[in-house]
Amino acid sequence: MSPVPQPADLLAAMPFAAGLGIGLREATAERVVGALAWSPQLCTAGGVLHGGALMALADSVGAVCAYLNLPEGASGTSTVESKTNFLRAVASGHVHATARPLHLGGTLLVVQTDLRDDRDRLVGQTTQTQIVLRKNTA
């Protein structure tokens, strides 16, 4: 049995997420929790976090959840579909992401990520489908 990866090690494998300032607080197969701080560099008009920054947070945290649920013999995953509903603007503080698996198949994994502000209000929700990658044995 291989050791459970630590959040810092998982984040180190995602330089884009780390460069945005995404942090991981918890990473288990059942739940992955991360956060992104508001900053002016990540904003759109009006000083609110850009939807792309929120989607990057959800995709990154969701990808870790998918990775931690890979079936036997898989080498990784890749996002093949992602849908986000934006429900509230964020103009300060942090966005907290919690990803949970919805479907764990041998070919596709589906993860739902809730995005919440510092007052625990739902900011957005992302559902993403990840394809299971397998090592080429040919």
Side-chain angles (χ1 to χ4, degrees):
M1 186 167 164
S2 58
V4 176
Q6 295 301 305
D9 297 328
L10 293 163
L11 190 59
M14 300 185 304
F16 177 75
L20 283 178
I22 293 171
L24 291 179
R25 189 173 74 228
E26 177 185 334
T28 67
E30 297 78 26
R31 183 172 102 143
V32 177
V33 179
L36 177 66
W38 179 94
S39 74
Q41 295 82 10
L42 299 178
C43 287
T44 187
V48 298
L49 276 178
H50 191 283
L54 294 172
M55 290 177 76
L57 170 62
D59 185 68
S60 298
V61 173
V64 169
C65 185
Y67 175 79
L68 293 174
N69 282 286
L70 284 174
E72 188 71 32
S75 61
T77 70
S78 182
T79 303
V80 295
E81 190 272 338
S82 183
K83 188 231 188 272
T84 300
N85 286 315
F86 298 106
L87 306 171
R88 174 181 308 277
V90 177
S92 65
H94 293 80
V95 177
H96 307 274
T98 302
R100 291 183 174 85
L102 293 180
H103 171 75
L104 301 174
T107 303
L108 297 174
L109 307 171
V110 181
V111 176
Q112 180 175 299
T113 304
D114 291 339
L115 302 172
R116 296 187 174 274
D117 64 15
D118 285 333
R119 294 173 52 193
D120 202 35
R121 298 177 300 182
L122 194 61
V123 169
Q125 187 174 72
T126 299
T127 303
Q128 68 186 142
T129 304
Q130 299 260 343
I131 193 162
V132 174
L133 304 175
R134 304 212 178 254
K135 294 177 184 165
N136 187 354
T137 57

